[in-house]
Amino acid sequence: MPTPFSEVLADRHQTVKRYRRPGQKVIAWLCSYFPEEIVYAAGMYPVRMMGGSGETTTADAHLYTNMCSLVRSCLEEGFKGAYDYLDGFVTLNTCDHIRRLYDVWGPSQKTVFNYVIPLPHTISDASLAYFHHELGRFKEAIEAAFGVNITAEAMEEAIRVYNRTRTLLHRLNDLRKLDEPPITGAEFLEAVVAGTILPKDVYNLMLEQYLLEVEFRPGIPTGEKIRLLLVGSEMDDPEYVRMIEDMGGLVVADELCTGTKYFWNLAEADGDPLMSIARRYLTRPECPRMRPASKRLAHMKDMMKEHKVDAVVMEVIKFCNLHGEDYTIVRNYLRRLGVPLLQLSREYNIGAVGQMRTRVEAFFERIWGA
């Protein structure tokens, strides 16, 4: 069913133009490790970059075709002029594909500020100190490029606003733990992804109102549905989740960068707001680029228990090196736990739906027949 956030995703570029204040700078980002609070504290508008739904003809002339279709689709949107409102593009060295997008974006697009934030591969006191230093350099680069002063007070206010978002999304996520959740996985994904497009003050008000409605809904009967954990590559298309749910599943939990990883932990105040931000992002639920995998797998196990998960679906965008390599780790771990796993290869835009439906149907029938 449509949610208050459906319209936001239906035309996200118009949404940004609608809510952008006169003269406000817009900075696009493409990795959930991106420290949005710093841009927010500068009085700017951070927006998550997403791809479009068409062919990537122009982008394919600038990126190898074995780059994942997410980055090619994002670049195609740039060539089409869809991102003509952007003042900057910032990402992290998350994977080779995103880094190659950054390499091409700067010379080919009109954004005046382009920046890569280095991200460690491990979590330790040393890596936290390093990440804190790099966020300080990023803050200084924003200040120099746009002539602004990002104060400690402004960052503390940004932390408060973003922590409010995360607290509200936790309330929404907790509803999925119920025996009869009042919200589908597709609706949940739609709500979270909209929060990466809307200004947080606007989004928080919408989310509060949405929660008041959802919390009093009747639950979805789950007697014949398979409760699923969805993991894998970047996912911002609720229709993909809806396809799985229409066949008899119900996504009651996820480990997605556009899902629970986006909001899981809060930034705890410790007197240095920049350190609070650095610690929050570095210690959030990890993606496969982080080592070792043991903490991430333990978190997955906890989610399966709390959300009463029957099986796991792992979707991987073709050529996604991080999640493609991670499949073997996840498969072997779930095999030891006795949890069924379905791996689906996909493109960023929904394609080969018939083949995916066949595989999902066969997977569900195997579980129902067990």
Side-chain angles (χ1 to χ4, degrees), residues 178-209:
L178 300 176
D179 291 337
E180 294 189 348
I183 183 173
T184 67
E187 290 176 293
F188 180 81
L189 181 64
E190 192 170 73
V192 178
V193 174
T196 67
I197 303 300
L198 288 164
K200 283 297 185 288
D201 52 348
V202 173
Y203 178 64
N204 286 351
L205 290 175
M206 289 181 65
L207 194 52
E208 287 171 354
Q209 294 171 357

mmCIF file of all heavy atoms in Angstrom, residues 178-209:
data_model
loop_
_atom_site.group_PDB
_atom_site.id
_atom_site.type_symbol
_atom_site.label_atom_id
_atom_site.label_comp_id
_atom_site.label_asym_id
_atom_site.label_seq_id
_atom_site.Cartn_x
_atom_site.Cartn_y
_atom_site.Cartn_z
ATOM 1 N N LEU A 178 7.233 -8.199 15.813
ATOM 2 C CA LEU A 178 5.974 -8.761 16.293
ATOM 3 C C LEU A 178 5.589 -10.010 15.514
ATOM 4 O O LEU A 178 5.974 -10.188 14.353
ATOM 5 C CB LEU A 178 4.853 -7.720 16.181
ATOM 6 C CG LEU A 178 5.053 -6.420 16.966
ATOM 7 C CD1 LEU A 178 3.911 -5.449 16.678
ATOM 8 C CD2 LEU A 178 5.148 -6.706 18.465
ATOM 9 N N ASP A 179 4.802 -10.886 16.148
ATOM 10 C CA ASP A 179 4.326 -12.091 15.452
ATOM 11 C C ASP A 179 3.497 -11.724 14.224
ATOM 12 O O ASP A 179 3.519 -12.451 13.216
ATOM 13 C CB ASP A 179 3.498 -12.952 16.407
ATOM 14 C CG ASP A 179 4.359 -13.582 17.498
ATOM 15 O OD1 ASP A 179 5.581 -13.717 17.283
ATOM 16 O OD2 ASP A 179 3.812 -13.921 18.569
ATOM 17 N N GLU A 180 2.769 -10.616 14.322
ATOM 18 C CA GLU A 180 2.006 -10.114 13.180
ATOM 19 C C GLU A 180 2.385 -8.647 12.970
ATOM 20 O O GLU A 180 1.720 -7.735 13.476
ATOM 21 C CB GLU A 180 0.502 -10.273 13.417
ATOM 22 C CG GLU A 180 0.055 -11.738 13.491
ATOM 23 C CD GLU A 180 -1.453 -11.880 13.499
ATOM 24 O OE1 GLU A 180 -2.165 -10.854 13.685
ATOM 25 O OE2 GLU A 180 -1.942 -13.009 13.320
ATOM 26 N N PRO A 181 3.447 -8.392 12.237
ATOM 27 C CA PRO A 181 3.904 -7.010 12.032
ATOM 28 C C PRO A 181 2.854 -6.190 11.277
ATOM 29 O O PRO A 181 2.190 -6.704 10.374
ATOM 30 C CB PRO A 181 5.167 -7.177 11.176
ATOM 31 C CG PRO A 181 5.567 -8.613 11.340
ATOM 32 C CD PRO A 181 4.300 -9.369 11.548
ATOM 33 N N PRO A 182 2.717 -4.908 11.614
ATOM 34 C CA PRO A 182 1.750 -4.066 10.907
ATOM 35 C C PRO A 182 2.331 -3.413 9.658
ATOM 36 O O PRO A 182 1.661 -2.604 9.018
ATOM 37 C CB PRO A 182 1.399 -3.005 11.958
ATOM 38 C CG PRO A 182 2.659 -2.853 12.754
ATOM 39 C CD PRO A 182 3.284 -4.225 12.798
ATOM 40 N N ILE A 183 3.556 -3.756 9.308
ATOM 41 C CA ILE A 183 4.227 -3.117 8.181
ATOM 42 C C ILE A 183 4.980 -4.164 7.374
ATOM 43 O O ILE A 183 5.543 -5.116 7.939
ATOM 44 C CB ILE A 183 5.191 -2.010 8.691
ATOM 45 C CG1 ILE A 183 5.850 -1.269 7.526
ATOM 46 C CG2 ILE A 183 6.239 -2.590 9.623
ATOM 47 C CD1 ILE A 183 6.660 -0.065 7.963
ATOM 48 N N THR A 184 4.976 -4.019 6.067
ATOM 49 C CA THR A 184 5.714 -4.938 5.206
ATOM 50 C C THR A 184 7.160 -4.475 5.073
ATOM 51 O O THR A 184 7.501 -3.335 5.394
ATOM 52 C CB THR A 184 5.087 -5.006 3.805
ATOM 53 O OG1 THR A 184 5.251 -3.729 3.153
ATOM 54 C CG2 THR A 184 3.614 -5.364 3.873
ATOM 55 N N GLY A 185 7.978 -5.363 4.535
ATOM 56 C CA GLY A 185 9.362 -4.986 4.290
ATOM 57 C C GLY A 185 9.485 -3.909 3.226
ATOM 58 O O GLY A 185 10.365 -3.046 3.295
ATOM 59 N N ALA A 186 8.609 -3.949 2.222
ATOM 60 C CA ALA A 186 8.633 -2.938 1.164
ATOM 61 C C ALA A 186 8.294 -1.561 1.728
ATOM 62 O O ALA A 186 8.927 -0.553 1.377
ATOM 63 C CB ALA A 186 7.646 -3.314 0.059
ATOM 64 N N GLU A 187 7.298 -1.496 2.603
ATOM 65 C CA GLU A 187 6.936 -0.225 3.225
ATOM 66 C C GLU A 187 8.070 0.306 4.092
ATOM 67 O O GLU A 187 8.362 1.507 4.102
ATOM 68 C CB GLU A 187 5.685 -0.397 4.078
ATOM 69 C CG GLU A 187 4.404 -0.628 3.316
ATOM 70 C CD GLU A 187 3.233 -0.883 4.245
ATOM 71 O OE1 GLU A 187 3.226 -1.925 4.924
ATOM 72 O OE2 GLU A 187 2.337 -0.028 4.295
ATOM 73 N N PHE A 188 8.717 -0.594 4.807
ATOM 74 C CA PHE A 188 9.818 -0.186 5.679
ATOM 75 C C PHE A 188 10.968 0.389 4.855
ATOM 76 O O PHE A 188 11.514 1.451 5.179
ATOM 77 C CB PHE A 188 10.304 -1.374 6.500
ATOM 78 C CG PHE A 188 11.434 -1.042 7.435
ATOM 79 C CD1 PHE A 188 11.186 -0.436 8.654
ATOM 80 C CD2 PHE A 188 12.750 -1.330 7.086
ATOM 81 C CE1 PHE A 188 12.225 -0.120 9.507
ATOM 82 C CE2 PHE A 188 13.796 -1.020 7.936
ATOM 83 C CZ PHE A 188 13.539 -0.408 9.164
ATOM 84 N N LEU A 189 11.331 -0.291 3.769
ATOM 85 C CA LEU A 189 12.423 0.196 2.931
ATOM 86 C C LEU A 189 12.069 1.554 2.341
ATOM 87 O O LEU A 189 12.915 2.461 2.288
ATOM 88 C CB LEU A 189 12.709 -0.805 1.814
ATOM 89 C CG LEU A 189 13.857 -0.434 0.874
ATOM 90 C CD1 LEU A 189 15.182 -0.387 1.615
ATOM 91 C CD2 LEU A 189 13.944 -1.416 -0.292
ATOM 92 N N GLU A 190 10.839 1.707 1.921
ATOM 93 C CA GLU A 190 10.397 2.981 1.366
ATOM 94 C C GLU A 190 10.557 4.107 2.381
ATOM 95 O O GLU A 190 11.032 5.203 2.047
ATOM 96 C CB GLU A 190 8.943 2.865 0.922
ATOM 97 C CG GLU A 190 8.451 4.004 0.069
ATOM 98 C CD GLU A 190 7.093 3.706 -0.535
ATOM 99 O OE1 GLU A 190 6.093 3.731 0.203
ATOM 100 O OE2 GLU A 190 7.037 3.425 -1.750
ATOM 101 N N ALA A 191 10.195 3.829 3.628
ATOM 102 C CA ALA A 191 10.305 4.843 4.678
ATOM 103 C C ALA A 191 11.756 5.221 4.947
ATOM 104 O O ALA A 191 12.082 6.399 5.112
ATOM 105 C CB ALA A 191 9.653 4.332 5.962
ATOM 106 N N VAL A 192 12.654 4.233 4.987
ATOM 107 C CA VAL A 192 14.054 4.521 5.283
ATOM 108 C C VAL A 192 14.713 5.278 4.133
ATOM 109 O O VAL A 192 15.410 6.277 4.350
ATOM 110 C CB VAL A 192 14.834 3.228 5.581
ATOM 111 C CG1 VAL A 192 16.308 3.547 5.849
ATOM 112 C CG2 VAL A 192 14.246 2.513 6.793
ATOM 113 N N VAL A 193 14.505 4.827 2.901
ATOM 114 C CA VAL A 193 15.142 5.463 1.747
ATOM 115 C C VAL A 193 14.672 6.908 1.596
ATOM 116 O O VAL A 193 15.461 7.797 1.248
ATOM 117 C CB VAL A 193 14.876 4.653 0.465
ATOM 118 C CG1 VAL A 193 15.413 5.393 -0.758
ATOM 119 C CG2 VAL A 193 15.539 3.284 0.560
ATOM 120 N N ALA A 194 13.393 7.175 1.884
ATOM 121 C CA ALA A 194 12.888 8.549 1.809
ATOM 122 C C ALA A 194 13.648 9.456 2.764
ATOM 123 O O ALA A 194 13.845 10.648 2.484
ATOM 124 C CB ALA A 194 11.392 8.578 2.124
ATOM 125 N N GLY A 195 14.103 8.890 3.878
ATOM 126 C CA GLY A 195 14.856 9.679 4.849
ATOM 127 C C GLY A 195 16.231 10.085 4.375
ATOM 128 O O GLY A 195 16.867 10.960 4.975
ATOM 129 N N THR A 196 16.710 9.465 3.303
ATOM 130 C CA THR A 196 18.002 9.867 2.736
ATOM 131 C C THR A 196 17.837 10.960 1.682
ATOM 132 O O THR A 196 18.827 11.465 1.157
ATOM 133 C CB THR A 196 18.729 8.661 2.101
ATOM 134 O OG1 THR A 196 18.002 8.209 0.946
ATOM 135 C CG2 THR A 196 18.850 7.516 3.102
ATOM 136 N N ILE A 197 16.596 11.304 1.380
ATOM 137 C CA ILE A 197 16.285 12.324 0.374
ATOM 138 C C ILE A 197 15.726 13.591 1.008
ATOM 139 O O ILE A 197 16.090 14.705 0.641
ATOM 140 C CB ILE A 197 15.261 11.771 -0.651
ATOM 141 C CG1 ILE A 197 15.789 10.497 -1.319
ATOM 142 C CG2 ILE A 197 14.927 12.826 -1.695
ATOM 143 C CD1 ILE A 197 17.078 10.673 -2.071
ATOM 144 N N LEU A 198 14.848 13.430 1.981
ATOM 145 C CA LEU A 198 14.201 14.581 2.625
ATOM 146 C C LEU A 198 15.131 15.265 3.628
ATOM 147 O O LEU A 198 15.987 14.609 4.235
ATOM 148 C CB LEU A 198 12.947 14.118 3.361
ATOM 149 C CG LEU A 198 11.746 13.717 2.507
ATOM 150 C CD1 LEU A 198 10.754 12.918 3.354
ATOM 151 C CD2 LEU A 198 11.062 14.957 1.935
ATOM 152 N N PRO A 199 14.956 16.567 3.850
ATOM 153 C CA PRO A 199 15.659 17.225 4.965
ATOM 154 C C PRO A 199 15.219 16.580 6.279
ATOM 155 O O PRO A 199 14.034 16.246 6.443
ATOM 156 C CB PRO A 199 15.185 18.680 4.882
ATOM 157 C CG PRO A 199 14.619 18.835 3.511
ATOM 158 C CD PRO A 199 14.087 17.499 3.113
ATOM 159 N N LYS A 200 16.141 16.392 7.196
ATOM 160 C CA LYS A 200 15.838 15.615 8.390
ATOM 161 C C LYS A 200 14.757 16.251 9.266
ATOM 162 O O LYS A 200 13.985 15.543 9.911
ATOM 163 C CB LYS A 200 17.118 15.400 9.210
ATOM 164 C CG LYS A 200 18.022 14.326 8.611
ATOM 165 C CD LYS A 200 17.355 12.954 8.599
ATOM 166 C CE LYS A 200 18.268 11.838 8.130
ATOM 167 N NZ LYS A 200 18.528 11.884 6.686
ATOM 168 N N ASP A 201 14.675 17.567 9.321
ATOM 169 C CA ASP A 201 13.630 18.166 10.148
ATOM 170 C C ASP A 201 12.245 17.859 9.580
ATOM 171 O O ASP A 201 11.306 17.540 10.315
ATOM 172 C CB ASP A 201 13.837 19.680 10.309
ATOM 173 C CG ASP A 201 14.025 20.392 8.969
ATOM 174 O OD1 ASP A 201 14.218 19.716 7.939
ATOM 175 O OD2 ASP A 201 13.987 21.633 8.965
ATOM 176 N N VAL A 202 12.124 17.906 8.250
ATOM 177 C CA VAL A 202 10.859 17.558 7.588
ATOM 178 C C VAL A 202 10.576 16.076 7.751
ATOM 179 O O VAL A 202 9.446 15.662 8.080
ATOM 180 C CB VAL A 202 10.920 17.933 6.094
ATOM 181 C CG1 VAL A 202 9.677 17.429 5.353
ATOM 182 C CG2 VAL A 202 11.078 19.431 5.920
ATOM 183 N N TYR A 203 11.591 15.282 7.531
ATOM 184 C CA TYR A 203 11.440 13.822 7.603
ATOM 185 C C TYR A 203 11.024 13.363 8.996
ATOM 186 O O TYR A 203 10.149 12.487 9.136
ATOM 187 C CB TYR A 203 12.749 13.158 7.200
ATOM 188 C CG TYR A 203 12.748 11.653 7.271
ATOM 189 C CD1 TYR A 203 11.911 10.892 6.464
ATOM 190 C CD2 TYR A 203 13.604 10.985 8.154
ATOM 191 C CE1 TYR A 203 11.927 9.502 6.514
ATOM 192 C CE2 TYR A 203 13.628 9.603 8.203
ATOM 193 C CZ TYR A 203 12.786 8.863 7.390
ATOM 194 O OH TYR A 203 12.807 7.487 7.452
ATOM 195 N N ASN A 204 11.622 13.925 10.015
ATOM 196 C CA ASN A 204 11.289 13.509 11.381
ATOM 197 C C ASN A 204 9.816 13.739 11.698
ATOM 198 O O ASN A 204 9.166 12.902 12.335
ATOM 199 C CB ASN A 204 12.166 14.248 12.395
ATOM 200 C CG ASN A 204 13.598 13.730 12.408
ATOM 201 O OD1 ASN A 204 13.908 12.712 11.795
ATOM 202 N ND2 ASN A 204 14.481 14.424 13.109
ATOM 203 N N LEU A 205 9.267 14.858 11.246
ATOM 204 C CA LEU A 205 7.846 15.127 11.477
ATOM 205 C C LEU A 205 6.975 14.126 10.724
ATOM 206 O O LEU A 205 5.994 13.602 11.267
ATOM 207 C CB LEU A 205 7.508 16.554 11.033
ATOM 208 C CG LEU A 205 8.077 17.684 11.899
ATOM 209 C CD1 LEU A 205 7.769 19.042 11.274
ATOM 210 C CD2 LEU A 205 7.513 17.619 13.315
ATOM 211 N N MET A 206 7.336 13.828 9.472
ATOM 212 C CA MET A 206 6.576 12.851 8.694
ATOM 213 C C MET A 206 6.653 11.474 9.329
ATOM 214 O O MET A 206 5.659 10.737 9.384
ATOM 215 C CB MET A 206 7.118 12.796 7.264
ATOM 216 C CG MET A 206 6.819 14.014 6.426
ATOM 217 S SD MET A 206 7.481 13.879 4.724
ATOM 218 C CE MET A 206 6.514 12.507 4.094
ATOM 219 N N LEU A 207 7.840 11.118 9.831
ATOM 220 C CA LEU A 207 8.029 9.800 10.421
ATOM 221 C C LEU A 207 7.248 9.666 11.725
ATOM 222 O O LEU A 207 6.670 8.605 12.012
ATOM 223 C CB LEU A 207 9.522 9.567 10.663
ATOM 224 C CG LEU A 207 9.981 8.144 10.967
ATOM 225 C CD1 LEU A 207 9.485 7.158 9.927
ATOM 226 C CD2 LEU A 207 11.511 8.100 11.068
ATOM 227 N N GLU A 208 7.208 10.719 12.511
ATOM 228 C CA GLU A 208 6.424 10.696 13.752
ATOM 229 C C GLU A 208 4.949 10.458 13.448
ATOM 230 O O GLU A 208 4.279 9.647 14.114
ATOM 231 C CB GLU A 208 6.611 12.017 14.509
ATOM 232 C CG GLU A 208 7.980 12.163 15.166
ATOM 233 C CD GLU A 208 8.210 13.557 15.722
ATOM 234 O OE1 GLU A 208 7.336 14.427 15.492
ATOM 235 O OE2 GLU A 208 9.254 13.777 16.364
ATOM 236 N N GLN A 209 4.427 11.145 12.454
ATOM 237 C CA GLN A 209 3.015 10.991 12.083
ATOM 238 C C GLN A 209 2.755 9.587 11.512
ATOM 239 O O GLN A 209 1.724 8.975 11.791
ATOM 240 C CB GLN A 209 2.638 12.063 11.062
ATOM 241 C CG GLN A 209 2.682 13.482 11.631
ATOM 242 C CD GLN A 209 2.526 14.548 10.563
ATOM 243 O OE1 GLN A 209 2.445 14.244 9.375
ATOM 244 N NE2 GLN A 209 2.491 15.805 10.983
#
